[in-house]
Amino acid sequence: MANRWTNTLKESDVTPEAAFLNRRQIIAGAAAGLGLGSIGGAAFAKTEALTPSDYEDITQYNNFYEFGTGKTDPAANAHTLVTNNWTVKIDGMVDKPGEYAFEDIMKAMTIEERIYRFRCVEAWSMVIPWNGFELADMLNFAGVQSGARYVAFETALRPDEMPGVRFPVLDWPYVEGLRLDEAMHPLTMMATGIYGKDIPNQNGAPLRLVVPWKYGFKSIKSIVRVTLTDQEPPTSWNKANGREYGFYSNVNPEVDHPRWSQASERPVGGGLFTKRVPTLMMNGYAEEVADLYAGMDLTKNY
Ligand code: MTE
């Protein structure tokens, strides 16, 4: 994976939140930002300026069903999630399987800032300034074996800390998956911060997946296990309703959800009079990722 993705607009250029930048999330990010030019590639450089959504909206309007199904439930309830001493088990077809301490992963990774569009399958959207690292770097750190074709992800399941898992809305724990080439794509990241601060529990602390060209439910939160496999892994929403939610779930304005149109979306945060805006193919990242799906029928592989 030669080319790293970079965006020219830094969050610190556009928002007062810069005053609160947290050392852990920004120290490596600043270095990485400066270093990107020298890494070379820059094939994915973005020139378009995205204006990030407000911190309030990003952290108060959430989907995290382990803490309730209402949009404000995660912000109200997720404080009970204990993120100290977090570990991520990396297993399956890797050279160095193990139970890795989150802090050790952070030390080994380069933290960058990425301002990405985020589009929920429910047709709302935001622009989020994430801090984190490329998933490829973590997978390479564990050593992906040649037979691996998919990556499976699992969220923590802690009934004592997650009031929502008493209800069988989904088959817990929440699980997700990517094809290996999607997982290794330079746009795919593990987010550990938002606006330079540690990622709040309601957004998936201490680390969650972010796949900006896919509907938000692929971006699984509070990950405790990452498994390399040669089989397409089961995914929570596909298990819950396979007719409505497929494995791929690429943002596609031309393929409607069976119950609503995906042609447009509602940016969160604009108040009552917010206009819907057209949804972009692959959420605006088609130039970078469309070749992953060359020759595939996107209406069948939804
Ligand atoms: N991950 C877990 N473990 N549980 C969830 O309910 N919801 C998904 C995704 N990841 C979810 C999850 C959905 S539907 C969306 S749209 C995004 O998280 C929302 O992310 P946000 O709350 O940070 O905007």
Side-chain angles (χ1 to χ4, degrees), residues 62-66 118 120 155 174 203 208 216-217 219 221:
N62 299 99
N63 278 335
F64 198 168
Y65 280 15
E66 287 87 334
F118 189 86
C120 178
T155 295
Y174 196 100
N203 293 89
R208 60 91 59 87
F217 66 85
S219 293
K221 296 178 168 181

Side-chain angles (χ1 to χ4, degrees), residues 68-266:
T69 54
K71 290 287 178 280
T72 56
D73 289 343
N77 298 331
H79 59 91
T80 50
L81 180 67
V82 178
T83 59
N84 295 338
N85 303 316
W86 195 272
T87 59
V88 181
K89 180 188 258 188
I90 306 181
D91 64 356
M93 302 172 84
V94 289
D95 296 333
K96 293 185 282 173
E99 189 94 33
Y100 291 92
F102 172 67
E103 293 300 334
D104 292 339
I105 295 173
M106 285 297 270
K107 277 183 214 143
M109 298 291 118
T110 302
I111 305 299
E112 301 174 29
E113 180 183 73
R114 302 277 181 95
I115 300 172
Y116 283 164
R117 291 185 202 84
F118 189 86
R119 168 63 156 81
C120 178
V121 74
E122 298 164 335
W124 53 263
S125 65
M126 300 202 201
V127 173
I128 306 184
W130 303 105
N131 307 90
F133 51 85
E134 287 189 8
L135 175 60
D137 289 345
M138 191 179 85
L139 297 180
N140 288 331
F141 169 79
V144 178
Q145 296 183 341
S146 60
R149 293 189 50 220
Y150 295 90
V151 187
F153 302 87
E154 190 177 308
T155 295
L157 174 53
R158 299 187 188 164
D160 292 345
E161 299 170 26
M162 296 173 152
V165 303
R166 282 183 280 133
F167 307 99
V169 265
L170 288 170
D171 180 15
W172 313 109
Y174 196 100
V175 290
E176 256 304 336
L178 293 173
R179 234 170 43 190
L180 184 61
D181 57 349
E182 299 175 321
M184 296 299 268
H185 193 280
L187 280 175
T188 304
M189 71 184 295
M190 288 292 228
T192 58
I194 291 174
Y195 270 116
K197 303 180 221 191
D198 287 349
I199 194 165
N201 286 2
Q202 61 265 36
N203 293 89
L207 83 170
R208 60 91 59 87
L209 185 67
V210 175
V211 194
W213 70 94
K214 292 180 179 284
Y215 291 119
F217 66 85
K218 297 294 290 183
S219 293
I220 179 173
K221 296 178 168 181
S222 303
I223 293 168
V224 291
R225 186 171 181 192
V226 176
T227 307
L228 278 290
T229 161
D230 56 2
Q231 309 282 324
E232 184 180 293
T235 62
S236 283
W237 281 101
N238 182 252
K239 282 195 286 181
N241 190 338
R243 203 176 70 85
E244 299 192 351
Y245 308 104
F247 177 77
Y248 284 95
S249 298
N250 294 318
V251 175
N252 190 335
E254 292 160 19
V255 178
D256 287 339
H257 186 279
R259 291 181 282 132
W260 58 85
S261 165
Q262 295 291 26
S264 69
E265 64 202 48
R266 176 180 61 88

